[in-house]
Amino acid sequence: MKTKRFMAVALTTALSAGALYGSIATADTLDNVLAVGQQKTTAAQASQKRIDKIAEETSSLLQDFKVVNKEIDGLRVYNRQLEKQLANQLQVINELDESIANVTVIERQIQPLILRMLEGLEQFIELDAPFKLDERMANLEGVKNNMDRSDITVAEKFRQVLELYNFEAEYARKIDTYGDSLNVNGQEREVNVLQIGRIALLAQTTDSEISLAYDKGQKAWVEIDAGEYRRALMSGLKIAKKQATIDIMTMPIPAPEAAQ
């Protein structure tokens, strides 16, 4: 009887132990399943993050690609415009080359012309009334000296010659006065010269006692009637100095010569 009870207890204990071991095994399997599920979830999240990152990078690259495409289109338009400008510049260069070739020919022709103009101007000054003669000849010599300089262009030389001609033309259109020294009756006297264009060239000693006029025929200064012209000459000197208003003056004007 005792033996049967013992066997029953042992069987019950064995069944309990089996159930316990079964429960433990089931718990271990569930933990493993949960752990594997957690790993899969973690892996899926990491994969999703990578996918999201790749998607963002793809979207950014797409935007960059669109921007670059627009820049390329703009560059194509710009290049076409540059090609047109380059073609126009090449045409201008060709025209400039032709102009330079023509300038070389013109320079060879202008240089002798400039020299002839200077010679003609020098002769004109020598034959003209001797007003401001030193100043005019100095200006002429200065320009003549520049003709041999290599650092001055032909265009600048031509401009200087034209400027001299312009100065000479201006002398014929104005009334001017300046101080000078003349030989009067064998003595050097200080005089005030009155230049009325190229119509008359007169002078009066600083004491206003002697009045003179330049005679182109004689190419010399001649004394004129002090009583008749003294006051008119004094008035003319004041007008030239802008000390009096312009008025009618009685002056000894040489008769015009017949053209040769």
Side-chain angles (χ1 to χ4, degrees), residues 199-224:
I199 298 175
L201 184 62
L202 306 134
Q204 192 173 70
T205 55
T206 53
D207 58 7
S208 304
E209 292 298 325
I210 300 175
S211 299
L212 305 164
Y214 183 77
D215 189 332
K216 286 185 179 181
Q218 301 180 43
K219 293 185 179 180
W221 289 92
V222 296
E223 189 172 346
I224 57 177

Side-chain angles (χ1 to χ4, degrees), residues 2-229:
K2 288 181 180 179
T3 301
K4 290 181 179 179
R5 288 181 181 172
F6 177 76
M7 292 177 63
V9 172
L11 180 60
T12 302
T13 301
L15 291 173
S16 298
L20 178 60
Y21 288 139
S23 298
I24 292 171
T26 301
D28 289 341
T29 302
L30 182 59
D31 289 340
N32 291 334
V33 170
L34 291 174
V36 171
Q38 183 63 36
Q39 291 175 359
K40 291 182 177 180
T41 300
T42 302
Q45 291 176 348
S47 297
Q48 185 63 42
K49 289 180 180 179
R50 288 196 296 273
I51 291 171
D52 292 341
K53 183 178 180 180
I54 292 172
E56 290 177 359
E57 292 176 352
T58 302
S59 177
S60 177
L61 289 173
L62 180 60
Q63 292 299 322
D64 292 343
F65 176 74
K66 291 180 179 179
V67 171
V68 170
N69 267 345
K70 289 182 179 179
E71 291 179 354
I72 290 173
D73 291 338
L75 288 174
R76 286 173 178 168
V77 174
Y78 180 67
N79 286 337
R80 286 195 294 269
Q81 186 64 30
L82 284 181
E83 288 175 356
K84 293 180 181 179
Q85 292 179 1
L86 181 60
N88 290 334
Q89 289 175 355
L90 290 175
Q91 182 178 354
V92 171
I93 290 173
N94 292 332
E95 293 175 354
L96 287 175
D97 289 338
E98 294 179 1
S99 298
I100 290 171
N102 293 332
V103 165
T104 304
V105 176
I106 292 172
E107 282 187 358
R108 290 198 296 265
Q109 297 173 347
I110 286 181
Q111 191 69 37
L113 172 63
I114 291 175
L115 297 177
R116 289 196 300 270
M117 291 175 68
L118 287 174
E119 290 175 1
L121 187 59
E122 184 173 9
Q123 293 177 5
F124 175 79
I125 293 175
E126 291 174 350
L127 295 173
D128 195 19
F131 58 88
K132 294 186 176 180
L133 188 59
D134 292 340
E135 177 183 332
R136 293 160 70 191
M137 292 302 295
N139 291 336
L140 178 63
E141 287 300 319
V143 174
K144 287 174 66 176
N145 292 336
N146 288 337
M147 294 300 104
D148 297 330
R149 291 179 55 178
S150 60
D151 59 331
I152 299 179
T153 64
V154 175
E156 174 60 18
K157 293 175 182 178
F158 190 61
R159 186 197 67 78
Q160 292 180 6
V161 173
L162 291 180
E163 189 174 43
L164 280 181
Y165 271 79
N166 185 57
F167 286 158
E168 290 297 325
E170 285 295 321
Y171 287 135
R173 294 193 288 265
K174 64 181 181 181
I175 299 176
D176 195 10
T177 181
Y178 59 92
D180 202 351
S181 177
L182 296 177
N183 188 309
V184 181
N185 298 326
Q187 296 181 352
E188 286 294 322
R189 299 287 299 272
E190 297 297 321
V191 298
N192 294 316
V193 179
L194 176 63
Q195 174 211 343
I196 305 176
R198 282 190 166 86
I199 298 175
L201 184 62
L202 306 134
Q204 192 173 70
T205 55
T206 53
D207 58 7
S208 304
E209 292 298 325
I210 300 175
S211 299
L212 305 164
Y214 183 77
D215 189 332
K216 286 185 179 181
Q218 301 180 43
K219 293 185 179 180
W221 289 92
V222 296
E223 189 172 346
I224 57 177
D225 187 354
E228 184 178 358
Y229 297 114

